[in-house]
Amino acid sequence: MTLAGKTILMSGGSRGIGLAIALRAAADGANIAMLAKTDTPHPKLEGTIHTAAEQIRAAGGQALPIVGDVRDGDDITEAVLKTQGEFGGIDIVINNASVIDLSRSLDLGAKKYDLMQDVNVRGTFMLSRAAVPILKDAENPHILSLSPPLNPSPKWLGAHTGYTLAKFGMTLATLGLAAEFARDGIAANTLWPRTTIATAAVQNLLGGDKVMAASRTPDIYADAAYAVLLKPAREYTGQTLIVEDVLEADGVTDFSGYAAIPGTPDSALFPDIFLD
């Protein structure tokens, strides 16, 4: 099986993990529609929705950049209808858009709290829900959210309560959709890495060059997502998956090629949050 001819609707994806997943699918000849806000270059962040589309086409896929906001219901509706109109359907929804702020509760601004809830939780639910009627007609429909397993440990509940609520909310929404639409054959799973991934968020918010050097590349996330999206939807659903576990189940045991700095041993990599 491959993703050739499959249509993916993704939130975000201008850079980082989302773009890596899109490029992995594009290598098979998949169609990628992206709903993202980054229409013009950001002074501190590389890439726009248009440069992402160019890379997708160069990798062998079809691209449909849709400038919009996953917080806006009209933008979501337009994205779903445009994707269906352009490619004839939707096979996969990837909830990639996410806002991160690791501030402690007393330091977290109300607007940033609302933003995390709106993008991470509401965006995941609303985009997935809008696509469900079309996913029902797909041969092997999947919803995949980039969010962690639910871990009620005080270590994570109390570390950054606002962000934890938002990421766990993504997971709860996804698991709820998995249960609700299981009879329709729509898979809904989450995916999260054991180590930090070398992205702009890690560079700017989680520790700069030191943590970047002790991270894995987005390719490991992309390869695991690819493996998930090929699974039979009726059988492989309702799971909070870990990137490395997915790859190991498919026979991959050597992750050294994914080190952001070649030669970095696994023992020296920085563990991601939410996992004990």
Side-chain angles (χ1 to χ4, degrees):
M1 292 181 61
T2 73
L3 294 180
K6 298 289 186 179
T7 296
I8 298 172
L9 174 57
M10 176 185 294
S11 62
S14 299
R15 60 183 70 88
I17 293 166
L19 179 57
I21 293 173
L23 293 176
R24 181 65 184 86
D28 276 4
N31 309 313
I32 317 292
M34 289 180 164
L35 172 62
K37 290 176 61 180
T38 313
D39 185 36
T40 57
H42 189 282
K44 295 183 179 180
L45 300 174
E46 181 181 358
T48 69
I49 191 172
H50 305 296
T51 59
E54 291 172 0
Q55 293 180 63
I56 288 167
R57 295 180 186 117
Q62 300 293 320
L64 178 62
I66 304 169
V67 179
D69 192 334
V70 76
R71 297 175 294 172
D72 188 302
D74 291 339
D75 286 358
I76 287 175
T77 299
E78 182 181 13
V80 169
L81 293 178
K82 278 188 173 181
T83 303
Q84 183 186 36
E86 181 74 15
F87 300 120
I90 298 173
D91 298 282
I92 296 162
V93 171
I94 298 179
N95 295 300
N96 164 73
S98 184
V99 176
I100 180 172
D101 190 317
L102 301 182
S103 297
R104 305 283 289 180
S105 295
L106 297 182
D107 299 320
L108 180 63
K111 287 185 177 180
K112 182 56 75 69
Y113 174 89
D114 290 343
L115 180 63
M116 287 193 290
Q117 286 289 322
D118 285 347
V119 173
N120 300 9
V121 187
R122 187 178 188 277
T124 293
F125 177 76
M126 298 300 287
L127 182 63
S128 302
R129 184 182 75 163
V132 160
I134 304 172
L135 288 171
K136 287 182 178 181
D137 294 328
E139 182 179 351
N140 192 46
H142 278 266
I143 296 170
L144 183 64
S145 300
L146 309 190
S147 60
L150 302 174
N151 185 352
S153 165
K155 174 181 179 180
W156 298 121
L157 287 177
H160 28 64
T161 303
Y163 180 62
T164 299
L165 283 170
K167 294 307 287 187
F168 284 0
M170 287 181 71
T171 298
L172 282 168
T174 306
L175 294 177
L177 293 167
E180 186 173 358
F181 298 107
R183 291 184 179 180
D184 298 295
I186 300 174
N189 298 289
T190 69
L191 187 62
W192 197 251
R194 289 200 182 282
T195 74
T196 51
I197 303 297
T199 64
V202 168
Q203 176 74 54
N204 298 329
L205 301 172
L206 293 182
D209 293 340
K210 181 179 179 180
V211 177
M212 286 284 281
S215 299
R216 289 185 170 132
T217 67
D219 291 337
I220 191 171
Y221 218 138
D223 287 347
Y226 179 83
V228 171
L229 299 175
L230 292 180
K231 303 295 185 186
R234 288 190 176 275
E235 303 170 16
Y236 200 83
T237 186
Q239 301 186 64
T240 53
L241 302 164
I242 303 301
V243 164
E244 289 81 355
D245 291 348
V246 169
L247 294 175
E248 286 176 353
D250 280 359
V252 180
T253 57
D254 182 4
F255 300 134
S256 61
Y258 293 115
I261 302 298
T264 304
D266 288 353
S267 59
L269 297 176
F270 199 82
D272 207 289
I273 59 178
F274 296 122
L275 302 181
D276 293 333

